Amino acid sequence: MEIIYQIYPLSFLDTNNDGIGDIKGVIKKLDYFEELGVNYLWLTPIFSSPMEDNGYDISDYYNINPIFGSLDDLKELIKKAKKRNIKIILDLVLNHTSTEHIWFKEACKGVDNKYHDYYIWSEEKTDITSIFSGSAWEYVESVDKYYLHMFSVGQADLNWKNKHLREELYKMINYYINLGVGGFRLDVLDLIGKDLENNNLYDRNVLKKYLLELNNRCFKGKDIFTVAEMNLPL
């Protein structure tokens, strides 16, 4: 049996007296976690984010939200946790990014921009509703199209049909694996398997295809813990 301890950094332990928990607070408690027999520490999202949805709206996969610390703090946490046989699990969102992400900002500059196809667009609204209520489509005047957001308006859904987008995500995941991260909790992963041409938000065959590719490109043959949030059986 292995023990996973989930941490919501925002309220865990504040080490700089700004009223917000931080990565250094997690580092400070590593001896305590070791005493508890913890094998994995699961951190809810710590990436750069406008925090419209508690960090599940990532604006930069390669940087840490300054309210929690820095990338160097994460590296220190990984290193010091490893000395105690504790691995770090990152909470990662692959279905969407924040509309503050550079990819989305570029996508809105024009349909010929290479990042435009990183997201899901429609020339008209369909009857798809957001999980956060209301229409899942939001109009962008600069491209005269609507982008899909299954959650908040500030969370634009990624287009997994785009091979270059998938490659960007695999590159990022492998970056953190090489950094020493021990696992990932993958948020709303079932939603990457969309087949909107057939009005299907949860296509099992499409999802299985992407999951197999994700495993082959990032996890296969590595000692990496993975768990996904899924609302449907495979």
Side-chain angles (χ1 to χ4, degrees):
M1 182 183 74
E2 293 190 308
I3 298 173
I4 299 174
Y5 192 110
Q6 181 184 4
I7 293 176
Y8 183 59
L10 196 70
S11 61
F12 182 68
L13 179 61
D14 173 18
T15 62
N16 59 1
N17 298 314
D18 65 354
I20 298 172
D22 44 56
I23 296 173
K24 288 186 181 295
V26 180
I27 295 172
K28 191 171 183 178
K29 287 294 185 178
L30 283 174
D31 288 339
Y32 169 70
F33 296 131
E34 184 179 22
E35 291 175 10
L36 290 178
V38 170
N39 304 107
Y40 291 91
L41 288 176
W42 161 20
L43 306 180
T44 55
I46 57 172
F47 300 103
S48 294
S49 168
M51 299 296 282
E52 185 174 340
D53 184 23
N54 297 306
Y56 288 97
D57 48 325
I58 298 172
S59 58
D60 187 342
Y61 286 110
Y62 289 98
N63 278 302
I64 305 303
N65 191 325
I67 66 174
F68 299 129
S70 67
L71 187 59
D72 284 338
D73 292 334
L74 176 61
K75 292 177 181 178
E76 181 183 357
L77 172 61
I78 293 169
K79 181 179 180 180
K80 290 186 175 179
K82 183 178 181 180
K83 290 181 179 179
R84 296 166 173 82
N85 295 314
I86 298 172
K87 297 179 180 180
I88 303 301
I89 297 173
L90 296 181
D91 212 325
L92 191 59
V93 189
L94 302 178
N95 175 68
H96 52 261
T97 70
S98 166
T99 52
E100 293 299 312
H101 197 291
I102 186 62
W103 295 346
F104 188 78
K105 291 181 177 180
E106 287 292 317
C108 292
K109 290 182 178 179
V111 296
D112 294 328
N113 189 292
K114 79 168 190 175
Y115 293 104
H116 184 77
D117 195 48
Y118 275 29
Y119 296 89
I120 298 173
W121 301 89
S122 175
E123 293 183 352
E124 58 184 21
K125 287 186 177 182
T126 69
D127 60 359
I128 299 175
T129 57
S130 165
I131 293 170
F132 283 5
S133 79
S135 174
W137 297 102
E138 184 71 11
Y139 183 69
V140 176
E141 185 176 4
S142 59
V143 291
D144 192 26
K145 288 185 179 181
Y146 298 86
Y147 69 86
L148 183 70
H149 61 91
M150 289 305 299
F151 295 90
S152 78
V153 173
Q155 293 167 289
D157 278 47
L158 291 166
N159 177 22
W160 270 70
K161 288 186 176 182
N162 185 303
K163 180 180 178 180
H164 298 295
L165 176 274
R166 298 199 307 273
E167 291 296 327
E168 291 267 20
L169 294 176
Y170 302 153
K171 177 183 176 182
M172 176 269 297
I173 291 170
N174 283 316
Y175 168 81
Y176 283 104
I177 291 175
N178 292 334
L179 209 63
V181 166
F184 301 89
R185 182 265 181 187
L186 302 169
D187 187 61
V188 296
L189 194 63
D190 51 341
L191 278 170
I192 69 172
K194 301 181 189 73
D195 179 15
L196 295 186
E197 284 79 3
N198 294 302
N199 201 31
N200 189 352
L201 291 171
Y202 303 94
D203 188 300
R204 287 174 173 80
N205 292 327
V206 173
L207 177 60
K208 286 180 180 179
K209 171 188 171 184
Y210 293 150
L211 291 181
L212 180 61
E213 185 178 80
L214 171 61
N215 180 62
N216 287 336
R217 295 299 306 279
C218 300
F219 306 132
K220 189 175 182 179
K222 302 174 185 176
D223 183 19
I224 298 293
F225 173 90
T226 58
V227 60
E229 180 184 14
M230 306 281 282
N231 291 316
L232 75 166
L234 290 178

